[in-house]
Amino acid sequence: MLISKDHLRALHTVSKDQTRPLLTVIDIKQDGDEIVAASTDGYILTEVRQHAEDADQYPETNGSPSIDNVRITGATAAKLKPMMKPQKLLPVLAYANVTKSGVITTDLEHTTVFNDHQVSGNFPDYKELIPPSDTAIATVKLNPEFLANVLKAFKGIDSVTLELFEGTATPVVIRSNSSDVEVTGVVMPLKSYN
């Protein structure tokens, strides 16, 4: 099973709490023709789905067969991510190969194998927490960098309220729920051209 740098986007919601070991990993598995990576710290969750690439295209590194389920610790994912660079001549080298021997990266000159201690137990069944998109009351397309930047203004504030308004060109408003300071953030939606 090949994993991409995109699967490691789930690193952002891995728990740092070592007393909850199942939440300190990215759970990666094959689901039909997709590879799914998921992580949660118990409060926030990320799921990344991407079409599965053919593991047979990955160079033989040690003869260990691919597997279709692995848990990668946040620490290993952080080390692995910078090693997975886009490649023009052999695009498959931008992936890591998940095998029984570990998670393998190679640039054909150097091979690195990451062997994580496998955390036992069942990863949380998070799928029930994600409502189907067709049941959403409102949807707004936002630039994720704009949203992340405006949320930085709320650092240290206990909670915020997200306000969505009717109409396709209305902003998303974020307000602090603090009695000490009032912070309001606004993110304009992306324009849709049909």
Side-chain angles (χ1 to χ4, degrees), residues 37-192:
S39 69
T40 180
D41 69 358
Y43 297 98
I44 55 177
L45 167 83
T46 303
E47 179 189 67
V48 179
R49 292 179 165 272
Q50 191 175 39
H51 178 74
E53 295 295 327
D54 184 5
D56 292 338
Q57 300 299 314
Y58 203 80
E60 284 295 324
T61 49
N62 68 355
S64 185
S66 285
I67 57 175
D68 60 3
N69 188 347
V70 69
R71 292 180 182 150
I72 301 174
T73 64
T76 294
K79 293 176 195 169
L80 184 62
K81 195 171 183 177
M83 301 176 95
M84 300 169 73
K85 298 176 182 149
Q87 304 286 328
K88 288 183 182 176
L89 293 176
L90 282 171
V92 74
L93 295 182
Y95 292 82
N97 193 9
V98 178
T99 71
K100 288 185 178 182
S101 299
V103 180
I104 300 170
T105 63
T106 186
D107 62 6
L108 297 180
E109 287 184 32
H110 304 94
T111 298
T112 304
V113 180
F114 293 94
N115 291 308
D116 268 345
H117 169 72
Q118 287 298 304
V119 178
S120 61
N122 294 325
F123 191 77
D125 185 10
Y126 65 89
K127 290 182 183 181
E128 298 297 318
L129 298 174
I130 304 173
S133 61
D134 62 353
T135 63
I137 295 170
T139 60
V140 179
K141 280 188 181 180
L142 300 174
N143 179 310
E145 289 183 28
F146 294 169
L147 181 60
N149 284 336
V150 80
L151 287 175
K152 290 176 186 174
F154 294 90
K155 186 171 178 141
I157 293 176
D158 290 338
S159 67
V160 297
T161 300
L162 188 66
E163 299 173 356
L164 302 174
F165 301 92
E166 288 187 37
T168 57
T170 59
V172 172
V173 177
I174 305 155
R175 298 184 197 277
S176 62
N177 295 326
S178 171
S179 58
D180 297 340
V181 62
E182 183 179 321
V183 180
T184 302
V186 175
V187 182
M188 295 304 294
L190 296 175
K191 291 181 181 178
S192 294

Side-chain angles (χ1 to χ4, degrees), residues 6-22:
D6 284 324
H7 290 108
L8 300 184
R9 291 174 184 265
L11 176 61
H12 296 288
T13 53
V14 167
S15 176
K16 292 171 182 52
D17 183 356
Q18 296 300 315
T19 64
R20 302 174 77 189
L22 275 170

